[in-house]
């Protein structure tokens, strides 16, 4: 049988944690033959630690055959020891009256500390997924705080946006989600992201021709996908959790086990692709193979798309400027 791998999850007692941990432990993320050790991080706060204990009791009660170890931590330096995978879910939410700058600063502090800890104690091949918002900028901060780890190991979650876009295209075309290939979402995980079906196909047919409705693209599709998070909060009274956890599973599974040539979207540090400056964590179309992602290069960018890409990049550059002095 395979050697167990170490998986760190932060914010483990939160909403997303509750929808995520059981699926990791059941083998949905890394395969039904891969034993896992969960290294769970929560804030030192007594209530949070107690809630984490409760979640661990439930994990225990599932008697998952693949769950061969489980630890609770309040310090990233111990939580990230030797980890092969790190899902950074815990973040500081925006409180009432909190300014954007305060939010960025509070998260910069968290992700600087966690980046440094990963740098010191994680496996040199650790795969990091940042879910906690602002996800792209938090991933950037963690990456910059971990200079001894390869930058490419730091990624941000755009997969929820990707999956949301898939479902909207499926509904519009009346075709199954699984039939849609080559969809992507460019940019920031925020309402400025640019979901792009220009290259998408269904059974070899161009989705763009099937839909043939630029008005729908600009005024229905993009706002629906971009504001989906807010629509969920409005309907549920709580932010997306199960769908976010599902996207995190998809992201890590595909990165680790490969996509068989299919495109998916990951937020990854740019190496200058499509004119996106070096190191900006940006949503790109990728394929994954042998534990590595590869950005699809050379796609044509038309005027409408360029405008969208510029807008989401501008927002990311703004966030980056906002935390520059904290790095
Ligand atoms: P939540 O508030 O239910 O749980 C967050 C947990 O993180 C809390 O238990 C909290 O104690 C913990 N936490 C806070 N700071 C921490 C730290 N420094 N170290 C360890 N744990 C810490 O929030 P929820 O719903 O689970 O969401 C988590 C994050 O994911 C939020 O930032 C949310 O905005 C983000 N999110 C991102 C999505 C994406 O597509 N990238 C989609 C949905 C949510």
């Amino acid at each position: 049988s395979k050697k167990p791998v170490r998986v760190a999850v932060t914010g483990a007692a939160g909403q997303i944690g509750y929808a995520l941990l059981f699926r990791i432990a059941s083998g949905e993320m890394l395969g039904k033959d891969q034993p896992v050790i969960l290294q769970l991080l929560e804030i030192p706060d007594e209530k949070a630690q107690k809630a984490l204990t409760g979640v661990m009791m439930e994990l225990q009660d599932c008697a998952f055959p693949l769950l061969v170890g489980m630890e609770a931590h309040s310090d990233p330096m111990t939580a990230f020891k030797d980890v092969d995978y790190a899902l950074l879910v815990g973040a500081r939410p925006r409180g009432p009256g909190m300014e954007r700058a305060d939010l960025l600063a509070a998260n910069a502090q968290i992700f600087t500390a966690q980046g440094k800890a990963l740098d010191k104690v994680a496996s040199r091949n650790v795969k990091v997924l940042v879910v906690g918002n602002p996800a792209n900028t938090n991933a950037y901060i963690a990456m910059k705080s971990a200079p001894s780890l390869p930058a490419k190991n730091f990624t941000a979650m755009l997969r929820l946006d990707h999956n949301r876009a898939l479902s909207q295209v499926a509904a519009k075309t009346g075709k199954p989600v699984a039939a849609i290939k080559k969809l992507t979402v460019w940019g920031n995980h925020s309402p400025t992201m640019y979901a792009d079906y220009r290259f998408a196909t269904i059974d070899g047919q161009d989705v763009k021709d099937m839909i043939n409705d630029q008005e729908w693209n600009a005024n229905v599709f993009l706002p629906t996908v971009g504001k989906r998070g807010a629509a969920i909060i409005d309907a549920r009274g709580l932010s997306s959790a199960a769908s976010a956890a599902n996207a995190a599973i998809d992201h890590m599974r595909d990165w680790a086990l490969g996509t068989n040539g299919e495109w998916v979207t990951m937020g990854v540090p740019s190496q200058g692709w499509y004119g996106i400056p070096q190191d900006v964590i940006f949503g790109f179309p990728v394929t994954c193979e042998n534990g590595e992602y590869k950005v699809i290069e050379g796609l044509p960018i038309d005027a409408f798309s360029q405008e969208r890409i510029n807008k989401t990049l501008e927002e990311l550059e703004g966030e980056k400027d906002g935390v520059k002095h904290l790095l």
Side-chain angles (χ1 to χ4, degrees):
S1 67
K2 282 188 173 175
K3 186 173 169 279
V5 293
R6 296 181 177 274
V7 181
V9 178
T10 74
Q15 281 207 92
I16 294 176
Y18 197 70
L20 178 63
L21 295 173
F22 299 85
R23 296 184 63 186
I24 298 173
S26 78
E28 284 180 69
M29 187 169 88
L30 297 170
K32 299 283 181 186
D33 59 346
Q34 178 59 66
V36 296
I37 298 166
L38 287 176
Q39 303 187 182
L40 307 174
L41 180 67
E42 259 296 343
I43 51 174
D45 171 73
E46 198 182 322
K47 243 179 95 188
Q49 287 293 325
K50 192 171 172 202
L52 179 56
T53 307
V55 175
M56 292 170 76
M57 287 161 70
E58 283 203 73
L59 280 161
Q60 202 178 9
D61 293 349
C62 293
F64 289 119
L66 291 170
L67 184 59
V68 298
M70 178 164 54
E71 307 160 3
H73 295 273
S74 58
D75 179 352
M77 284 295 285
T78 55
F80 296 156
K81 181 89 182 93
D82 296 330
V83 292
D84 304 289
Y85 299 88
L87 293 90
L88 309 186
V89 178
R92 180 72 188 277
R94 193 175 199 145
M98 201 170 172
E99 295 295 331
R100 198 168 151 278
D102 303 333
L103 182 77
L104 279 170
N107 281 296
Q109 209 175 9
I110 294 172
F111 286 86
T112 303
Q114 294 188 359
K116 283 182 178 163
L118 286 164
D119 196 54
K120 287 214 173 66
V121 302
S123 155
R124 301 298 86 186
N125 298 316
V126 64
K127 287 180 161 59
V128 182
L129 168 62
V130 178
V131 174
N133 280 318
N136 298 51
T137 295
N138 289 342
Y140 175 82
I141 293 166
M143 175 183 83
K144 287 295 177 192
S145 306
S148 78
L149 293 171
K152 68 176 169 63
N153 294 18
F154 288 82
T155 68
M157 193 164 92
L158 268 291
R159 187 59 174 265
L160 182 53
D161 309 280
H162 178 98
N163 288 347
R164 286 167 172 166
L166 276 178
S167 284
Q168 294 301 320
V169 168
K172 177 73 171 171
T173 57
K175 300 287 185 183
V177 161
I180 304 166
K181 312 290 177 199
K182 297 189 171 179
L183 188 89
T184 196
V185 181
W186 306 91
N188 198 6
H189 168 68
S190 92
T192 66
M193 52 95 240
Y194 172 46
D196 185 0
Y197 59 75
R198 289 176 306 134
F199 314 107
T201 61
I202 296 175
D203 300 330
Q205 243 194 304
D206 285 332
V207 166
K208 195 163 177 271
D209 297 341
M210 290 170 79
I211 294 176
N212 193 24
D213 189 347
Q214 179 54 18
E215 200 274 330
W216 180 79
N217 181 31
N219 300 324
V220 180
F221 175 68
L222 290 173
T224 300
V225 177
K227 295 179 190 158
R228 188 67 164 183
I232 303 281
I233 293 175
D234 183 52
R236 214 171 78 87
L238 289 166
S239 66
S240 340
S243 55
N246 181 68
I249 296 273
D250 284 351
H251 177 118
M252 278 303 206
R253 183 201 57 223
D254 285 350
W255 191 3
L257 306 179
T259 62
N260 295 313
E262 304 288 345
W263 295 17
V264 293
T265 302
M266 289 171 68
V268 305
S270 178
Q271 292 180 20
W273 304 298
Y274 299 96
I276 305 305
Q278 182 83 19
D279 287 351
V280 171
I281 309 262
F282 203 82
F284 289 109
V286 303
T287 55
C288 302
E289 202 182 341
N290 301 323
E292 303 284 343
Y293 59 81
K294 191 162 168 273
V295 170
I296 309 291
E297 294 184 68
L299 297 169
I301 305 298
D302 60 19
F304 178 81
S305 304
Q306 191 63 60
E307 195 183 308
R308 293 284 175 159
I309 287 172
N310 291 348
K311 193 170 156 227
T312 193
L313 174 61
E314 200 178 301
E315 182 183 52
L316 273 172
E317 297 268 44
E319 290 179 14
K320 217 173 94 182
D321 279 350
V323 298
K324 208 170 42 194
H325 63 290
L326 302 165
L327 287 178

